[in-house]
Structure formats: C-alpha cells, structure tokens
Amino acid sequence: MRFGLSFLPDCTPETKSPQTYFSDALELSVQAEMGGLDSVKMTEHYLHHYGGYCPSPLGFLSAVAARTKSVRLMTGCVLPVFHHPVQLAAEAAQVDAISGGRLDVGFARAYLPDEFDALGLEMDESTDRFRETIRAVLRIWTEEKVSEQTPFFSYREVTGLPRPTQRPHPPVWGAAVRTPESFTWLGTEGLGLLITPLISPHEFRDHLTLYRDAFRTAHGGSALRPRVAASLPLVVADTDERAEELAETYLRRYLDVWAEAVSPWDRRESSAYRGYSGFGWMLRGLRPTTLYTEGGAIVGSPATVIERIRAFNDHIGGVDQILWQIDFGAMPLPEARRTLELFCDKVLPEVKSL
C-alpha cells in the first residue's frame, strides 16, 4: 500500500490566512517526501471556506513540483464541468512537464450548488458535461487535429500543446461518492477510483465491488488494473488521549465548514444527485467521535493507528493508496507536522506492506 497527503483547505480568515495556509501546505509537502510518502493531492473548489482557498490545484502542485524531486502530484480533484477541455488538457500537460512527469489527474463531477449557480451552469447536466470533458481531454492528450461537437463545447482540428510528458498521458482518476452508476462508469472507462469514506468503510465495500467488476468486464486481459485511493483525516499523537483531544477540536471545525458549504442541499434537489438532499443536516448531526470510531478518520497513538489502518483496509475490501488529511480544521502547523512525523517514523514501516 502507498500513502500520501490530501489537501483541502477548510480555513476561515480567522483561523488561517491564504498565505499561511499555502505556506504550511508546501512545508508539509516537502516533509512528506522526505518522510517517504508517495504523493500530494489538492482539491478544487470556489466561494466557500470549504476548499475555496484553492481554485487551482494545478497551480498549487506546480509550486510543490518546484520544491520536491520524486513525490507524485495529484489533482484530487479538478472539476472538469467548470473548464473547457482545451484549457484543462494544456494546463495539466504543463504541470506534467514542469514536474518531469509526476502528475496524476483526478477528476470530480462537483456537487456544491453555489458553485454551479455562480458560474451559470445547470446541475442536472453535470454528469454528461463531466464525462464529455474527460473524454475530450484524453483525446487532446493523445491525438492530433481533434474535432468535437457537443452541447457543451465544440472545436475543429485542435492539436493540444504542450504534449504530456508521460505517455500516452498522466494517470487518470475519477472521484465517486454516493451514486452507484458513478462507480460503474469509472470502472468501465478504466480510470482509477478516488473515494472519501465519510462515516464507515463498510458502506463503500459494495461500491468498490461495482467498480472492480465493471473494470474487469471492460478491461480483463489488458494491462490495465483497477486502482483505489481513499482520502481520510489522520491524527497521530504520543497517546490515544492526546490524539482524540486534537481530533475533537479540529474534526468539529472541518465538519462545520463542510456543512456550511453543502447547506443549500437542505432545500435543493437534482435528478443528477440522488441522495444529496439533506447532506448539510447529516453533517451537522455527525459527531467527531463517530468518524474515528467507525473508520471515517484514523486517530490515535502510533500503535492504535497501525491497528486502525489494518482494520480500515480489511473492512473496505482493500485499497491501493491512502491519502491523509493532516491539516483539517485549520490545524496549526506544529500539530500537523507532529502527526506526519509520527506517521512516517513509527507507522509507515509497519503498514506499507499491506
């Protein structure tokens, strides 16, 4: 199993300024590479304190590339529904070149109503727009004189520049959250799968089976293999008691900021987002202890964290990579650094063989 860092800024101006947030995230990225982690991931969002500091994961990853030598750089995710494929393909290929071929591109459909409203896009069209844009980006990376005619964009005889450094293109992932069809589609398309198991890994086990079955049906006998990466909050401290104290404070902040961003779902429905209505109510009622007792976060001393990682991997049916959120809730840099230090020194040697 491989491990990395997952960043999603959830700061308010009172808890961390944008300058401080990115300074901390870059320092943690360098520390992660030195500690033996494999990847750094950043997420795109707008407008809300949940993710809104980072409208450009590729911009952040370019800065990480300049400070590191080997760590993989992952968008987790860019939101293709908000971008033209010519632009997205070119900007991603640029970061692939800057980093010497270290980019992984993760795509997500986007799900925050305020983002769609502000950008003047229909949520009910998001699935088709998401899939058409990914398909178009892959063509621009691998073909010349590409023409497209879709309800969302059109162009004739486009040859994208720069060409990807990795051939035929950077590894591609897609995020899935609740909709079974999303897991099946990603498997059929041969993409890697990104998940965030919010409450319990048990609820994702059947979805991972859908993904893997669809992948093997479509790509059995080829060199392609299904890949699953999970993002989880992590706190490691010298004792379970100290780790739980930190988790209670900063997971509560994380959940509160997230709940505010999804609160429009309390009064919104969309045929493209079955099961999302009331999402804010669910988050507001979720206790931090529920996350780390049921596996949606990993919290404890090094020995406890080793045990909980093994349990998580067993309950969910096995993942290839875990990407740790270690600075959630605008956690101060010293506390996040301590989690990363303890994980790399005392936990990683015991779990990387999973």
Side-chain angles (χ1 to χ4, degrees):
M1 185 184 293
R2 295 177 294 119
F3 297 91
L5 295 186
S6 178
F7 290 107
L8 189 159
D10 56 356
C11 310
T12 68
E14 295 75 26
T15 54
K16 272 190 185 182
S17 70
Q19 181 179 358
T20 299
Y21 174 79
F22 285 110
S23 175
D24 290 355
L26 289 169
E27 183 169 334
L28 291 169
S29 298
V30 172
Q31 183 182 345
E33 180 178 71
M34 294 176 63
L37 299 194
D38 293 287
S39 53
V40 172
K41 176 169 77 75
M42 176 60 89
T43 300
E44 173 183 355
H45 276 299
Y46 300 88
L47 303 174
H48 288 282
H49 297 135
Y50 179 79
Y53 276 7
C54 190
S56 175
L58 290 167
F60 170 77
L61 294 174
S62 185
V64 176
R67 291 163 171 79
T68 58
K69 294 182 179 179
S70 62
V71 70
R72 297 291 303 180
L73 312 168
M74 180 183 288
T75 63
C77 293
V78 291
L79 306 176
V81 297
F82 301 148
H83 299 280
H84 193 284
V86 171
Q87 170 206 29
L88 187 53
E91 292 184 357
Q94 180 182 5
V95 176
D96 199 35
I98 289 170
S99 65
R102 289 190 276 146
L103 182 66
D104 281 43
V105 180
F107 295 105
R109 185 156 57 104
Y111 70 100
L112 296 181
D114 288 346
E115 294 177 338
F116 283 87
D117 293 347
L119 295 171
L121 298 172
E122 293 292 332
M123 297 196 78
D124 289 351
E125 298 177 348
S126 65
T127 299
D128 290 341
R129 188 184 288 271
F130 171 74
R131 294 178 181 181
E132 290 282 2
T133 304
I134 293 174
R135 182 180 60 82
V137 167
L138 290 170
R139 289 193 67 200
I140 291 168
W141 280 340
T142 57
E143 301 176 27
E144 297 185 359
K145 296 184 178 181
V146 177
S147 298
E148 295 282 2
Q149 183 69 46
T150 79
F152 315 113
F153 50 82
S154 62
Y155 43 83
R156 291 185 56 80
E157 297 190 349
V158 163
T159 298
L161 287 174
R163 309 305 283 174
T165 298
Q166 299 174 88
R167 295 302 178 95
H169 54 72
V172 177
W173 304 71
V177 180
R178 290 169 172 256
T179 308
E181 292 82 1
S182 296
F183 291 85
T184 300
W185 183 82
L186 290 170
T188 300
E189 294 298 308
L191 307 185
L193 173 64
L194 298 173
I195 59 171
T196 302
L198 176 59
I199 299 177
S200 170
H202 293 280
E203 67 183 15
F204 274 86
R205 193 179 184 109
D206 289 345
H207 288 338
L208 297 195
T209 299
L210 286 175
Y211 163 72
R212 290 178 173 130
D213 286 349
F215 197 110
R216 292 180 181 120
T217 297
H219 304 284
S222 75
L224 295 175
R225 295 292 181 269
R227 299 162 289 142
V228 180
S231 295
L232 292 169
L234 172 72
V235 181
V236 192
D238 293 312
T239 65
D240 288 345
E241 292 76 16
R242 177 56 178 160
E244 290 172 7
E245 178 185 356
L246 290 168
E248 286 288 335
T249 297
Y250 296 106
L251 281 175
R252 183 70 270 160
R253 284 190 189 176
Y254 169 65
L255 291 170
D256 287 346
V257 168
W258 193 0
E260 186 274 332
V262 302
S263 61
W265 281 116
D266 295 343
R267 54 190 181 277
R268 186 99 166 228
E269 293 184 358
S270 169
S271 60
Y273 293 87
R274 297 194 306 273
Y276 279 74
S277 296
F279 197 2
W281 291 106
M282 185 272 289
L283 287 176
R284 285 189 289 274
L286 188 59
R287 298 174 58 195
T289 51
T290 302
L291 279 179
Y292 60 80
T293 57
E294 297 193 12
I298 305 295
V299 174
S301 65
T304 297
V305 166
I306 291 168
E307 177 184 329
R308 289 180 172 172
I309 291 171
R310 288 173 174 160
F312 168 85
N313 198 47
D314 180 61
H315 292 160
I316 204 168
V319 298
D320 302 283
Q321 188 172 8
I322 298 180
L323 301 156
W324 299 119
Q325 295 171 255
I326 62 170
D327 65 340
F328 55 87
M331 186 179 291
L333 179 62
E335 301 292 358
R337 290 190 63 180
R338 181 59 174 162
T339 280
L340 184 53
E341 177 185 3
L342 287 171
F343 178 82
C344 292
D345 291 349
K346 297 188 177 184
V347 178
L348 183 58
E350 303 298 324
V351 296
K352 61 184 178 181
S353 61
L354 287 176

